[in-house]
Amino acid sequence: MLHPLPKLVMGLIWILASILIFDLGFQLITIALAAGTLIVLERRSPFLVLALMVPFALFGFGFFTTSVLFRQDSPIALQMAAETPFGASAVSAGLILFFRAIACGMVSAVFVLTTDPGALIKALMVHWRLPPSVGFALFQALNLVPDLGRQMQDTRLARAMRRGRPPRRSPGPAELVSLIVPLLAYAIRRAGRSALAMEARGLTPGGKRTITNAPMLKQHDAVFAILSASALVFAIFVSGSISIG
């Protein structure tokens, strides 16, 4: 299993490259590499990968329509877009912005789907000196999100038992509104317990403490960083996007 921090650094570098390099070929290569990583290496369903692209595509479609209909491009963007074989510069720039949003989103998806959140927090505490109070709060948030889902289901089941009929498969708008107050009260109780737990653990700044099962950097993490950097250089070389916009 790879260390979370090299993956985080390389993911940020890929996202930064997608933002700075105004080239359609580079964006397409980034999307293909991210999708191939999920499908081939992580054995994720191609339908899941396509579903992950949908929200980023919707976000990118806003860039596309804005670029085409309400265009006010910088000279460097027009010059770079004019070199792409897609006709008008506005459409070319819009397509690059559209696929840039998908590329950045897919790189983020690869990191999220291949990284254990608990291991990431421990790595940040050990290697990047994340304060223990912040780390413990993040752990509480990781536990609170699924607990809220279970609490919502328990509340819906209790209400259905009182009414004498099974609950709906998914709550309607009115039921969702009625669940806000119970879930908010549950979250406040959990927050109070978390505060007491943090006080009991003595999470004061500057104190020495031991972090168990924290991921450590190994040789294969360096190999991953080298391969990822090489793939980035390869993508830049193949797409011919040496100019930065």
Side-chain angles (χ1 to χ4, degrees):
M1 184 177 180
L2 293 174
H3 196 280
L5 295 186
K7 286 195 292 183
L8 176 61
V9 172
M10 295 308 305
L12 292 176
I13 292 175
W14 272 90
I15 291 176
L16 182 62
S18 295
I19 294 174
L20 294 179
I21 298 176
F22 203 79
D23 183 87
L24 182 60
F26 180 82
Q27 311 301 334
L28 294 176
I29 292 175
T30 302
I31 295 172
L33 289 176
T37 300
L38 291 176
I39 295 174
V40 178
L41 299 181
E42 292 296 317
R43 297 183 179 180
R44 303 282 182 169
S45 170
F47 298 103
L48 173 63
V49 176
L50 290 176
L52 289 173
M53 292 185 186
V54 171
F56 304 117
L58 294 175
F59 188 69
F61 186 72
F63 289 135
F64 176 78
T65 54
T66 302
S67 176
V68 174
L69 301 178
F70 311 101
R71 174 169 67 92
Q72 189 176 2
D73 296 316
S74 63
I76 184 64
L78 290 175
Q79 180 182 355
M80 298 283 297
E83 299 176 0
T84 59
F86 292 98
S89 60
V91 176
S92 301
L95 285 175
I96 295 174
L97 294 174
F98 173 76
F99 285 106
R100 173 191 284 177
I102 299 178
C104 294
M106 290 305 298
V107 172
S108 303
V110 170
F111 175 76
V112 171
L113 294 177
T114 60
T115 305
D116 177 36
L120 174 62
I121 295 174
K122 290 182 179 180
L124 291 173
M125 294 173 67
V126 171
H127 299 285
W128 287 3
R129 306 302 180 188
L130 181 71
S133 56
V134 177
F136 188 77
L138 292 175
F139 277 123
Q140 289 296 321
L142 289 176
N143 293 326
L144 178 61
V145 173
D147 287 347
L148 278 176
R150 287 190 289 267
Q151 180 66 22
M152 183 181 69
Q153 288 298 109
D154 292 342
T155 304
R156 296 185 64 225
L157 288 175
R159 290 178 176 179
M161 291 177 64
R162 287 198 301 266
R163 295 169 183 169
R165 61 174 184 266
R168 296 174 56 184
R169 183 180 297 273
S170 59
E175 187 178 3
L176 286 175
V177 172
S178 67
L179 288 171
I180 293 177
V181 174
L183 293 179
L184 181 61
Y186 174 78
I188 293 174
R189 288 197 301 268
R190 281 291 302 269
R193 295 170 186 169
S194 300
L196 292 175
M198 293 177 68
E199 185 70 22
R201 290 172 179 265
L203 293 176
T204 55
K208 294 183 178 180
R209 56 189 68 254
T210 302
I211 302 175
T212 60
N213 298 325
M216 303 303 296
L217 291 168
K218 298 180 180 179
Q219 185 176 2
H220 61 263
D221 296 310
V223 174
F224 160 76
I226 294 173
L227 292 177
S228 181
S230 301
L232 178 58
V233 174
F234 174 78
I236 296 175
F237 177 78
V238 170
S239 62
S241 51
I242 305 300
S243 300
I244 303 297

